[in-house]
Amino acid sequence: MKKFTSRLVTTCLRVGIIFAVGIALIFSSELELSGNKMQAIATPLTAEAKSYEGARPDRQPTSDTEKDASGVLDNIREKLNLDQPIAPSTKKFIESVKDNVGEAVTPAREAVEKAAERGSSDRAN
């Protein structure tokens, strides 16, 4: 009889725990669905725009814009020293690179050709 009562008690406890967990899940999902009601509601501080004015492509730039653009371009030209001639050392470097390009490219081209030949012979086997 003691075994029966102890099993009955443990079964009732398990059923009670499962029931409590189910109720908790139901309430948590209910609170989750109505979560928007719990959020704070505030009015915006700035007025909303009723319409937006976009840039019109048919408009020509005004003289103020042209003056600003030329000022910016002059500033860039001055900062990058674009008006000054290329230094002689830079010219020598560019010429040496042009002359040595063939030396740098030829070994790479040969390596690619050898790899292509090996690949085609491997496929034939």
PDB file of all heavy atoms in Angstrom, residues 63-83:
ATOM      1  N   SER A  63      25.444  80.063 -60.250  1.00  0.00           N
ATOM      2  CA  SER A  63      26.798  80.621 -60.266  1.00  0.00           C
ATOM      3  C   SER A  63      27.494  80.396 -58.923  1.00  0.00           C
ATOM      4  O   SER A  63      28.704  80.214 -58.868  1.00  0.00           O
ATOM      5  CB  SER A  63      26.759  82.097 -60.621  1.00  0.00           C
ATOM      6  OG  SER A  63      25.989  82.801 -59.655  1.00  0.00           O
ATOM      7  N   ASP A  64      26.733  80.387 -57.827  1.00  0.00           N
ATOM      8  CA  ASP A  64      27.337  80.139 -56.512  1.00  0.00           C
ATOM      9  C   ASP A  64      27.896  78.720 -56.444  1.00  0.00           C
ATOM     10  O   ASP A  64      28.987  78.498 -55.915  1.00  0.00           O
ATOM     11  CB  ASP A  64      26.300  80.330 -55.400  1.00  0.00           C
ATOM     12  CG  ASP A  64      25.855  81.777 -55.265  1.00  0.00           C
ATOM     13  OD1 ASP A  64      26.620  82.667 -55.691  1.00  0.00           O
ATOM     14  OD2 ASP A  64      24.749  81.999 -54.734  1.00  0.00           O
ATOM     15  N   THR A  65      27.171  77.786 -56.994  1.00  0.00           N
ATOM     16  CA  THR A  65      27.629  76.405 -56.997  1.00  0.00           C
ATOM     17  C   THR A  65      28.877  76.254 -57.850  1.00  0.00           C
ATOM     18  O   THR A  65      29.823  75.560 -57.478  1.00  0.00           O
ATOM     19  CB  THR A  65      26.520  75.476 -57.527  1.00  0.00           C
ATOM     20  OG1 THR A  65      25.333  75.702 -56.803  1.00  0.00           O
ATOM     21  CG2 THR A  65      26.924  74.027 -57.414  1.00  0.00           C
ATOM     22  N   GLU A  66      28.904  76.937 -58.986  1.00  0.00           N
ATOM     23  CA  GLU A  66      30.078  76.874 -59.855  1.00  0.00           C
ATOM     24  C   GLU A  66      31.298  77.474 -59.169  1.00  0.00           C
ATOM     25  O   GLU A  66      32.406  76.950 -59.259  1.00  0.00           O
ATOM     26  CB  GLU A  66      29.792  77.591 -61.174  1.00  0.00           C
ATOM     27  CG  GLU A  66      28.790  76.857 -62.045  1.00  0.00           C
ATOM     28  CD  GLU A  66      28.372  77.667 -63.254  1.00  0.00           C
ATOM     29  OE1 GLU A  66      28.779  78.845 -63.360  1.00  0.00           O
ATOM     30  OE2 GLU A  66      27.652  77.117 -64.086  1.00  0.00           O
ATOM     31  N   LYS A  67      31.089  78.573 -58.446  1.00  0.00           N
ATOM     32  CA  LYS A  67      32.207  79.195 -57.720  1.00  0.00           C
ATOM     33  C   LYS A  67      32.723  78.262 -56.631  1.00  0.00           C
ATOM     34  O   LYS A  67      33.920  78.114 -56.446  1.00  0.00           O
ATOM     35  CB  LYS A  67      31.765  80.522 -57.105  1.00  0.00           C
ATOM     36  CG  LYS A  67      31.539  81.619 -58.106  1.00  0.00           C
ATOM     37  CD  LYS A  67      31.030  82.867 -57.427  1.00  0.00           C
ATOM     38  CE  LYS A  67      30.634  83.910 -58.440  1.00  0.00           C
ATOM     39  NZ  LYS A  67      30.031  85.089 -57.804  1.00  0.00           N
ATOM     40  N   ASP A  68      31.797  77.639 -55.900  1.00  0.00           N
ATOM     41  CA  ASP A  68      32.200  76.708 -54.848  1.00  0.00           C
ATOM     42  C   ASP A  68      32.950  75.523 -55.433  1.00  0.00           C
ATOM     43  O   ASP A  68      33.956  75.077 -54.886  1.00  0.00           O
ATOM     44  CB  ASP A  68      30.981  76.219 -54.061  1.00  0.00           C
ATOM     45  CG  ASP A  68      30.347  77.324 -53.228  1.00  0.00           C
ATOM     46  OD1 ASP A  68      31.033  78.341 -52.986  1.00  0.00           O
ATOM     47  OD2 ASP A  68      29.179  77.153 -52.825  1.00  0.00           O
ATOM     48  N   ALA A  69      32.462  74.988 -56.558  1.00  0.00           N
ATOM     49  CA  ALA A  69      33.113  73.833 -57.181  1.00  0.00           C
ATOM     50  C   ALA A  69      34.502  74.201 -57.671  1.00  0.00           C
ATOM     51  O   ALA A  69      35.458  73.430 -57.505  1.00  0.00           O
ATOM     52  CB  ALA A  69      32.264  73.312 -58.330  1.00  0.00           C
ATOM     53  N   SER A  70      34.644  75.377 -58.274  1.00  0.00           N
ATOM     54  CA  SER A  70      35.972  75.766 -58.753  1.00  0.00           C
ATOM     55  C   SER A  70      36.915  75.979 -57.582  1.00  0.00           C
ATOM     56  O   SER A  70      38.102  75.661 -57.665  1.00  0.00           O
ATOM     57  CB  SER A  70      35.882  77.017 -59.619  1.00  0.00           C
ATOM     58  OG  SER A  70      35.453  78.130 -58.841  1.00  0.00           O
ATOM     59  N   GLY A  71      36.410  76.493 -56.474  1.00  0.00           N
ATOM     60  CA  GLY A  71      37.244  76.663 -55.286  1.00  0.00           C
ATOM     61  C   GLY A  71      37.718  75.328 -54.738  1.00  0.00           C
ATOM     62  O   GLY A  71      38.874  75.170 -54.341  1.00  0.00           O
ATOM     63  N   VAL A  72      36.829  74.354 -54.737  1.00  0.00           N
ATOM     64  CA  VAL A  72      37.187  73.015 -54.255  1.00  0.00           C
ATOM     65  C   VAL A  72      38.220  72.386 -55.180  1.00  0.00           C
ATOM     66  O   VAL A  72      39.210  71.792 -54.730  1.00  0.00           O
ATOM     67  CB  VAL A  72      35.925  72.135 -54.146  1.00  0.00           C
ATOM     68  CG1 VAL A  72      36.295  70.683 -53.911  1.00  0.00           C
ATOM     69  CG2 VAL A  72      35.018  72.627 -53.048  1.00  0.00           C
ATOM     70  N   LEU A  73      38.002  72.529 -56.490  1.00  0.00           N
ATOM     71  CA  LEU A  73      38.948  71.956 -57.451  1.00  0.00           C
ATOM     72  C   LEU A  73      40.324  72.616 -57.344  1.00  0.00           C
ATOM     73  O   LEU A  73      41.349  71.938 -57.426  1.00  0.00           O
ATOM     74  CB  LEU A  73      38.402  72.083 -58.871  1.00  0.00           C
ATOM     75  CG  LEU A  73      37.140  71.265 -59.155  1.00  0.00           C
ATOM     76  CD1 LEU A  73      36.630  71.565 -60.553  1.00  0.00           C
ATOM     77  CD2 LEU A  73      37.403  69.792 -58.988  1.00  0.00           C
ATOM     78  N   ASP A  74      40.343  73.928 -57.147  1.00  0.00           N
ATOM     79  CA  ASP A  74      41.627  74.624 -56.965  1.00  0.00           C
ATOM     80  C   ASP A  74      42.328  74.139 -55.708  1.00  0.00           C
ATOM     81  O   ASP A  74      43.545  73.951 -55.689  1.00  0.00           O
ATOM     82  CB  ASP A  74      41.413  76.134 -56.900  1.00  0.00           C
ATOM     83  CG  ASP A  74      40.976  76.715 -58.230  1.00  0.00           C
ATOM     84  OD1 ASP A  74      41.236  76.063 -59.268  1.00  0.00           O
ATOM     85  OD2 ASP A  74      40.387  77.813 -58.222  1.00  0.00           O
ATOM     86  N   ASN A  75      41.576  73.910 -54.654  1.00  0.00           N
ATOM     87  CA  ASN A  75      42.150  73.427 -53.403  1.00  0.00           C
ATOM     88  C   ASN A  75      42.751  72.037 -53.588  1.00  0.00           C
ATOM     89  O   ASN A  75      43.856  71.753 -53.115  1.00  0.00           O
ATOM     90  CB  ASN A  75      41.074  73.409 -52.324  1.00  0.00           C
ATOM     91  CG  ASN A  75      41.628  73.120 -50.952  1.00  0.00           C
ATOM     92  OD1 ASN A  75      42.821  73.223 -50.716  1.00  0.00           O
ATOM     93  ND2 ASN A  75      40.748  72.774 -50.037  1.00  0.00           N
ATOM     94  N   ILE A  76      42.051  71.162 -54.285  1.00  0.00           N
ATOM     95  CA  ILE A  76      42.563  69.811 -54.534  1.00  0.00           C
ATOM     96  C   ILE A  76      43.823  69.873 -55.382  1.00  0.00           C
ATOM     97  O   ILE A  76      44.817  69.198 -55.105  1.00  0.00           O
ATOM     98  CB  ILE A  76      41.483  68.944 -55.215  1.00  0.00           C
ATOM     99  CG1 ILE A  76      40.336  68.680 -54.237  1.00  0.00           C
ATOM    100  CG2 ILE A  76      42.063  67.638 -55.726  1.00  0.00           C
ATOM    101  CD1 ILE A  76      39.139  68.027 -54.862  1.00  0.00           C
ATOM    102  N   ARG A  77      43.785  70.691 -56.435  1.00  0.00           N
ATOM    103  CA  ARG A  77      44.943  70.838 -57.316  1.00  0.00           C
ATOM    104  C   ARG A  77      46.160  71.331 -56.525  1.00  0.00           C
ATOM    105  O   ARG A  77      47.280  70.858 -56.704  1.00  0.00           O
ATOM    106  CB  ARG A  77      44.611  71.810 -58.457  1.00  0.00           C
ATOM    107  CG  ARG A  77      45.659  71.884 -59.527  1.00  0.00           C
ATOM    108  CD  ARG A  77      45.223  72.782 -60.679  1.00  0.00           C
ATOM    109  NE  ARG A  77      44.079  72.211 -61.375  1.00  0.00           N
ATOM    110  CZ  ARG A  77      42.872  72.784 -61.468  1.00  0.00           C
ATOM    111  NH1 ARG A  77      42.646  73.951 -60.904  1.00  0.00           N
ATOM    112  NH2 ARG A  77      41.898  72.187 -62.114  1.00  0.00           N
ATOM    113  N   GLU A  78      45.936  72.276 -55.600  1.00  0.00           N
ATOM    114  CA  GLU A  78      47.034  72.819 -54.792  1.00  0.00           C
ATOM    115  C   GLU A  78      47.569  71.776 -53.809  1.00  0.00           C
ATOM    116  O   GLU A  78      48.779  71.610 -53.664  1.00  0.00           O
ATOM    117  CB  GLU A  78      46.529  74.040 -54.024  1.00  0.00           C
ATOM    118  CG  GLU A  78      47.570  74.666 -53.125  1.00  0.00           C
ATOM    119  CD  GLU A  78      46.981  75.805 -52.315  1.00  0.00           C
ATOM    120  OE1 GLU A  78      45.981  76.406 -52.734  1.00  0.00           O
ATOM    121  OE2 GLU A  78      47.537  76.065 -51.244  1.00  0.00           O
ATOM    122  N   LYS A  79      46.664  71.044 -53.141  1.00  0.00           N
ATOM    123  CA  LYS A  79      47.098  70.056 -52.143  1.00  0.00           C
ATOM    124  C   LYS A  79      47.863  68.896 -52.771  1.00  0.00           C
ATOM    125  O   LYS A  79      48.796  68.367 -52.178  1.00  0.00           O
ATOM    126  CB  LYS A  79      45.892  69.505 -51.370  1.00  0.00           C
ATOM    127  CG  LYS A  79      45.131  70.513 -50.577  1.00  0.00           C
ATOM    128  CD  LYS A  79      45.910  70.996 -49.394  1.00  0.00           C
ATOM    129  CE  LYS A  79      45.066  71.977 -48.602  1.00  0.00           C
ATOM    130  NZ  LYS A  79      45.795  72.591 -47.539  1.00  0.00           N
ATOM    131  N   LEU A  80      47.475  68.491 -53.974  1.00  0.00           N
ATOM    132  CA  LEU A  80      48.129  67.354 -54.621  1.00  0.00           C
ATOM    133  C   LEU A  80      49.284  67.767 -55.530  1.00  0.00           C
ATOM    134  O   LEU A  80      49.899  66.911 -56.164  1.00  0.00           O
ATOM    135  CB  LEU A  80      47.100  66.555 -55.431  1.00  0.00           C
ATOM    136  CG  LEU A  80      45.986  65.896 -54.618  1.00  0.00           C
ATOM    137  CD1 LEU A  80      45.010  65.214 -55.544  1.00  0.00           C
ATOM    138  CD2 LEU A  80      46.562  64.910 -53.620  1.00  0.00           C
ATOM    139  N   ASN A  81      49.558  69.060 -55.605  1.00  0.00           N
ATOM    140  CA  ASN A  81      50.651  69.579 -56.443  1.00  0.00           C
ATOM    141  C   ASN A  81      50.498  69.124 -57.891  1.00  0.00           C
ATOM    142  O   ASN A  81      51.456  68.684 -58.531  1.00  0.00           O
ATOM    143  CB  ASN A  81      52.018  69.162 -55.908  1.00  0.00           C
ATOM    144  CG  ASN A  81      52.291  69.743 -54.544  1.00  0.00           C
ATOM    145  OD1 ASN A  81      51.852  70.854 -54.245  1.00  0.00           O
ATOM    146  ND2 ASN A  81      52.996  69.007 -53.710  1.00  0.00           N
ATOM    147  N   LEU A  82      49.315  69.247 -58.418  1.00  0.00           N
ATOM    148  CA  LEU A  82      49.066  68.778 -59.774  1.00  0.00           C
ATOM    149  C   LEU A  82      49.607  69.720 -60.843  1.00  0.00           C
ATOM    150  O   LEU A  82      49.753  69.327 -61.992  1.00  0.00           O
ATOM    151  CB  LEU A  82      47.565  68.561 -59.982  1.00  0.00           C
ATOM    152  CG  LEU A  82      46.935  67.474 -59.122  1.00  0.00           C
ATOM    153  CD1 LEU A  82      45.437  67.406 -59.368  1.00  0.00           C
ATOM    154  CD2 LEU A  82      47.572  66.131 -59.396  1.00  0.00           C
ATOM    155  N   ASP A  83      49.884  70.967 -60.463  1.00  0.00           N
ATOM    156  CA  ASP A  83      50.395  71.929 -61.438  1.00  0.00           C
ATOM    157  C   ASP A  83      51.902  71.826 -61.634  1.00  0.00           C
ATOM    158  O   ASP A  83      52.437  72.379 -62.591  1.00  0.00           O
ATOM    159  CB  ASP A  83      50.036  73.356 -61.007  1.00  0.00           C
ATOM    160  CG  ASP A  83      48.536  73.596 -61.058  1.00  0.00           C
ATOM    161  OD1 ASP A  83      47.881  72.956 -61.891  1.00  0.00           O
ATOM    162  OD2 ASP A  83      48.035  74.414 -60.275  1.00  0.00           O
TER     163      ASP A  83
END
